[in-house]
Amino acid sequence: DTTVKQNPRYKLARVGKPVNLICSQTMNHDTMYWYQKKPNQAPKLLLFYYDKILNREADTFEKFQSSRPNNSFCSLYIGSAGLEYSAMYLCASSRDYYAEQFFGPGTRLTVL
Amino acid sequence: GDQVEQSPSALSLHEGTGSALRCNFTTTMRAVQWFRKNSRGSLINLFYLASGTKENGRLKSAFDSKERYSTLHIRDAQLEDSGTYFCAAGDTGNYKYVFGAGTRLKVIA
């Protein structure tokens, strides 16, 4: 089973409100990633976990937080949503840093 | 500059013909993946390569780490092949994948 699950599939949020997105995988993968995807753009890596170690990209460091309470589960947290956060958020996992990534179906976030 | 340069950015093919998409890398990459974006916006795995070539049906991919490129060949294109294709390369120095900008493929009858 190479399934990565994401919840919710669609999320509507108000400007200034928090948002919490959830991802899970049962492949026992060490690495889990969060990407932001906007129309006509490449997926943009926000952060990734290798085991319990969180790595955040420099340009999104202050905007996104994450937690990984166990190997299977990873969340993405936005403390105060802005209009610019409207996007598809894709979670992926892989056995190791350079192993094959498997993507979830995504959560489409709309901030109003 | 960008570590992964994907070309062409857009491509039109007649049904039954073929072409190649290419990703050039500015540094040594550990592995490469090719994806196709589905109608919902998620990414479907096409190929994962650490070296060499792989083939699956009408698709074939190659990765040369030393020469710093990867290709995705499509033959006998069908209408349902239309969509956006991405390459992503594993950056040896930074322990993460870097995506190309994507190729929008349109197959026309």
Side-chain angles (χ1 to χ4, degrees):
Chain A
D1 181 13
T2 56
T3 302
V4 176
K5 297 181 180 179
Q6 290 187 243
N7 285 296
R9 299 290 291 271
Y10 300 90
K11 175 71 177 177
L12 192 62
R14 296 292 179 187
V15 170
K17 297 297 185 183
V19 175
N20 196 45
L21 308 180
I22 296 170
C23 177
S24 65
Q25 51 87 15
T26 55
M27 296 174 277
N28 201 30
H29 282 171
D30 282 331
T31 314
M32 294 185 75
Y33 308 81
W34 280 101
Y35 292 87
Q36 182 190 66
K37 173 77 174 68
K38 293 188 176 182
N40 300 315
Q41 294 182 20
K44 176 182 172 62
L45 180 66
L46 300 176
L47 52 88
F48 67 96
Y49 269 97
Y50 179 72
D51 195 11
K52 294 187 174 92
I53 300 171
L54 174 61
N55 299 270
R56 287 190 282 181
E57 292 294 280
D59 58 346
T60 56
F61 188 86
E62 296 178 344
K63 297 181 179 180
F64 299 93
Q65 296 176 40
S66 183
S67 67
R68 191 178 187 187
N70 55 58
N71 177 270
S72 301
F73 178 94
C74 187
S75 66
L76 181 70
Y77 181 76
I78 301 167
S80 176
L83 295 175
E84 71 277 15
Y85 288 84
S86 292
M88 174 73 90
Y89 288 84
L90 296 170
C91 174
S93 74
S94 64
R95 179 175 45 80
D96 199 343
Y97 288 124
Y98 304 118
E100 185 175 7
Q101 292 182 97
F102 296 91
F103 279 81
T107 295
R108 190 172 296 279
L109 173 66
T110 302
V111 182
L112 300 174
Chain B
D2 292 342
Q3 289 181 284
V4 179
E5 294 182 357
Q6 186 170 345
S7 61
S9 58
L11 178 64
S12 287
L13 290 177
H14 285 282
E15 265 188 305
T17 64
S19 189
L21 285 56
R22 186 178 177 102
C23 282
N24 290 325
F25 315 123
T26 57
T27 186
T28 301
M29 298 296 186
R30 182 89 168 255
V32 70
Q33 278 193 261
W34 284 92
F35 300 93
R36 178 182 164 183
K37 186 166 71 76
N38 68 9
S39 58
R40 274 211 71 251
S42 188
L43 298 178
I44 305 302
N45 290 31
L46 298 177
F47 292 103
Y48 168 81
L49 299 100
S51 64
T53 63
K54 286 187 179 178
E55 191 166 357
N56 184 4
R58 296 178 291 101
L59 299 179
K60 181 177 179 180
S61 183
F63 172 48
D64 190 324
S65 176
K66 185 178 178 183
E67 298 299 322
R68 301 183 178 178
Y69 76 91
S70 178
T71 56
L72 176 68
H73 291 260
I74 301 172
R75 64 175 175 84
D76 188 24
Q78 303 297 305
L79 295 175
E80 58 266 28
D81 294 331
S82 295
T84 302
Y85 292 77
F86 290 99
C87 71
D91 180 357
T92 305
N94 292 308
Y95 306 103
K96 64 183 181 183
Y97 277 90
V98 181
F99 274 79
T103 296
R104 282 189 294 280
L105 172 65
K106 184 173 183 179
V107 181
I108 50 181

